Amino acid sequence: MKTAILIGAGPRGRLAYLDKFAKFGVKLIAVADLFEENRKLVQEAYGISEDMCFANYKDMFHGERLADIAIICTNDRDHLEPFKLCAQAGYHILLEKPISSFPEEVAEVEKISQTFDKTLTICHVLRYTPFFTKLKELITSGIIGKVMSINHNENMAYWFAVNNFVRGKWNNSDTTSPLILAKCCHDMDLLVYLTGKKCIRLSSFGNLGYFNPENAPEGAGTRCTVDCKIADSCPYNVVKFNINPPQNIAKFRANDYIEDEESLRQDMSTSQWGRCVFACDNNVADHQVISMEFEDNITAVFTVSAFTYDHSRTIKIMGTLGEIEGDMENGELQLKIFGANEIEHIHVENNILQHGGGDEGIVKAFLDSIDGDSGRNLTSAQESLHSHMICFAAEESRKNNGAVVELEAFTKRYLDALK
């Protein structure tokens, strides 16, 4: 039986991966997290002894290695140090994305990985979904000829965007990561994966165009449940998202320890998640577009936007013999061959609450790799370095009026700094 430790027991670590590892026979024996609530939830769910629950992950490294596998799911800015400790101790490592909020730290992880003799993968889970696996198969088969262009959209949904990137944990790049990295390094990995090519250059535009004080409507207050005069008509009212959501919107509570409505209302009247969307400390873009040129004359356009009704990823692959359109959340692909009279509709089974099945898919591929099965292409640190650098370069371009950034020179800047 393989054993594992968890460093960072927030929603991703605690809810996305642990039950998948357990499903495949891995026993969790230790957990580290700053917050006692997180530690207790994991301890009770997986029967961990008290002496194997740590407030400080560094206390896990005083002596022999505790387990075979390390699952690192700390905050974006806190990945590097636990990664280095785990690498030095000889763990197989599953590292949550993004690798880091800082390009120099991403480069450092990639450098360490070059001499790392254990299994390491970065959690770009979307490439492990049945949906994108099927899309990759269709492209590789040559049925639409040579890929020439891609349009890819990350539709955040208005309710998801304001909970996470206006009110929530990822709303300010000074303390977390820019939107394009925190939300979209998945998508950059997908573009690299689907094309099998590197991005050569890019240009990016976008800004914080709406969720700021200048756009506050008349009657808006500082909090939805306290002093807002237009709460009933405001589409961004926190009550609609976290306390009494419509049936077609998944519950997305800011505090998953609070279950009863009265306590949740009280929390929303004092916590950061109950603030008016026009009166927060957010600075990340609420919409952004990247135009990219890849090797082999492939072009791609990526759009991320808070201003969408559905929470979904949609994509269109245009080739010399046909095109493929897809909606990940619906699990639907449309194959359109030039000259054919009919459109082929392909349905792929999809678990929308688990990244379309990607959370389980990456855990299985990771464990298979440990056992010597390299049939599934794990996202290496080298590959992830490139997709991360696309994000960092896009943010640099956005802040410089859409200036074109050459990816090779941009990446070399950070790699050379390590020499």
Side-chain angles (χ1 to χ4, degrees):
M1 176 182 288
K2 295 182 182 68
T3 54
I5 63 172
L6 174 65
I7 303 176
R12 286 301 292 162
R14 188 176 77 252
L15 302 177
Y17 299 124
L18 290 189
D19 62 331
K20 316 302 185 301
F21 276 100
K23 177 180 179 178
F24 294 116
V26 177
K27 180 175 177 57
L28 185 72
I29 65 167
V31 59
D33 195 279
L34 287 171
F35 298 100
E36 184 179 4
E37 298 97 326
N38 287 343
R39 297 196 303 273
K40 288 295 184 184
L41 287 169
V42 173
Q43 181 183 17
E44 293 171 3
Y46 295 92
I48 300 173
S49 61
E50 186 66 33
D51 64 328
M52 286 293 180
C53 297
F54 303 90
N56 189 333
Y57 66 82
K58 294 180 181 179
D59 292 335
M60 303 173 107
F61 298 91
H62 297 321
E64 295 184 358
R65 190 179 70 218
L66 300 178
D68 306 306
I69 296 164
I71 309 162
I72 302 175
C73 295
T74 51
N75 289 332
D76 298 355
R77 291 186 170 220
D78 301 323
H79 284 170
L80 180 61
E81 289 307 315
F83 168 78
K84 289 165 71 173
L85 288 170
C86 291
Q88 185 177 10
Y91 284 92
H92 298 288
I93 300 172
L94 187 77
L95 178 61
E96 182 60 294
K97 66 84 189 169
I99 292 174
S100 171
S101 301
F102 308 102
E104 56 271 22
E105 291 190 356
V106 175
E108 185 174 356
V109 168
E110 191 275 336
K111 183 178 180 180
I112 293 170
S113 75
Q114 293 177 18
T115 57
F116 187 62
D117 62 356
K118 300 289 185 177
T119 297
L120 165 66
T121 194
I122 315 304
C123 293
H124 296 296
V125 299
L126 293 182
R127 67 160 67 185
Y128 303 91
T129 63
F131 178 85
F132 284 108
T133 297
K134 183 63 176 179
L135 186 54
K136 176 69 171 178
E137 288 176 0
L138 290 170
I139 293 170
T140 303
S141 75
I143 195 169
I144 63 167
K146 178 185 178 300
V147 172
M148 300 301 295
S149 302
I150 300 176
N151 285 349
H152 182 37
N153 277 35
E154 167 70 85
N155 310 297
M156 284 197 291
Y158 65 101
W159 58 270
F160 182 93
V162 299
N163 261 11
N164 286 276
F165 298 99
V166 178
R167 296 174 171 128
K169 293 181 179 179
W170 297 275
N171 75 338
N172 193 303
S173 60
D174 294 335
T175 55
T176 56
S177 303
L179 171 71
I180 201 68
L181 179 70
K183 190 73 179 81
C184 309
C185 64
H186 271 326
D187 302 281
M188 300 308 107
D189 176 71
L190 278 177
L191 293 175
V192 174
Y193 170 63
L194 293 174
T195 62
K197 305 295 180 181
K198 288 186 175 182
C199 180
I200 299 171
R201 60 183 62 88
L202 61 78
S203 179
S204 182
F205 298 89
N207 51 56
L208 176 56
Y210 185 62
F211 296 114
N212 51 53
E214 291 77 15
N215 291 308
E218 185 176 351
T222 60
R223 290 184 170 276
C224 302
T225 60
V226 175
D227 57 356
C228 183
K229 298 178 180 179
I230 58 170
D232 290 343
S233 62
C234 179
Y236 304 107
N237 182 354
V238 71
V239 174
K240 299 175 182 178
F241 304 155
N242 290 297
I243 298 175
N244 186 30
Q247 292 300 311
N248 64 332
I249 294 180
K251 285 191 176 183
F252 199 87
R253 288 180 172 174
N255 191 331
D256 61 356
Y257 307 121
I258 299 175
E259 291 298 330
D260 65 281
E261 181 176 326
E262 182 179 351
S263 297
L264 195 59
R265 283 185 178 274
Q266 178 60 34
D267 183 72
M268 293 303 157
S269 69
T270 58
S271 73
Q272 70 185 86
W273 286 278
R275 296 175 296 178
C276 173
V277 294
F278 303 103
C280 294
D281 59 342
N282 56 309
N283 71 354
V284 299
D286 51 27
H287 65 299
Q288 188 170 353
V289 62
I290 314 175
S291 295
M292 290 164 275
E293 180 184 359
F294 283 76
E295 297 169 325
D296 204 19
N297 298 313
I298 300 172
T299 57
V301 175
F302 172 75
T303 300
V304 58
S305 177
F307 308 104
T308 63
Y309 184 84
D310 292 320
H311 184 49
S312 66
R313 282 178 168 89
T314 53
I315 193 165
K316 183 174 183 178
I317 313 288
M318 294 159 274
T320 56
L321 300 178
E323 66 181 33
I324 308 168
E325 290 190 62
D327 184 319
M328 175 186 162
E329 273 61 33
N330 290 333
E332 299 292 339
L333 290 165
Q334 294 183 21
L335 177 61
K336 305 175 182 179
I337 302 302
F338 300 159
N341 294 324
E342 295 184 359
I343 297 172
E344 182 178 353
H345 296 269
I346 303 169
H347 179 74
V348 181
E349 291 300 321
N350 183 23
N351 184 341
I352 190 171
L353 296 179
Q354 298 291 337
H355 277 114
D359 293 341
E360 181 172 322
I362 197 171
V363 170
K364 186 177 188 308
F366 175 72
L367 294 173
D368 287 347
S369 179
I370 293 174
D371 291 334
D373 180 1
S374 57
R376 189 66 190 267
N377 181 27
L378 289 174
T379 311
S380 67
Q382 289 78 25
E383 282 183 289
S384 193
L385 170 72
H386 184 60
S387 57
H388 277 67
M389 288 300 170
I390 293 173
C391 296
F392 290 122
E395 188 67 0
E396 180 170 293
S397 173
R398 184 185 74 84
K399 291 181 175 180
N400 288 279
N401 299 313
V404 173
V405 178
E406 300 285 339
L407 259 295
E408 184 175 356
F410 182 85
T411 303
K412 188 174 184 294
R413 181 195 313 172
Y414 296 102
L415 293 178
D416 286 352
L418 295 173
K419 295 179 179 178

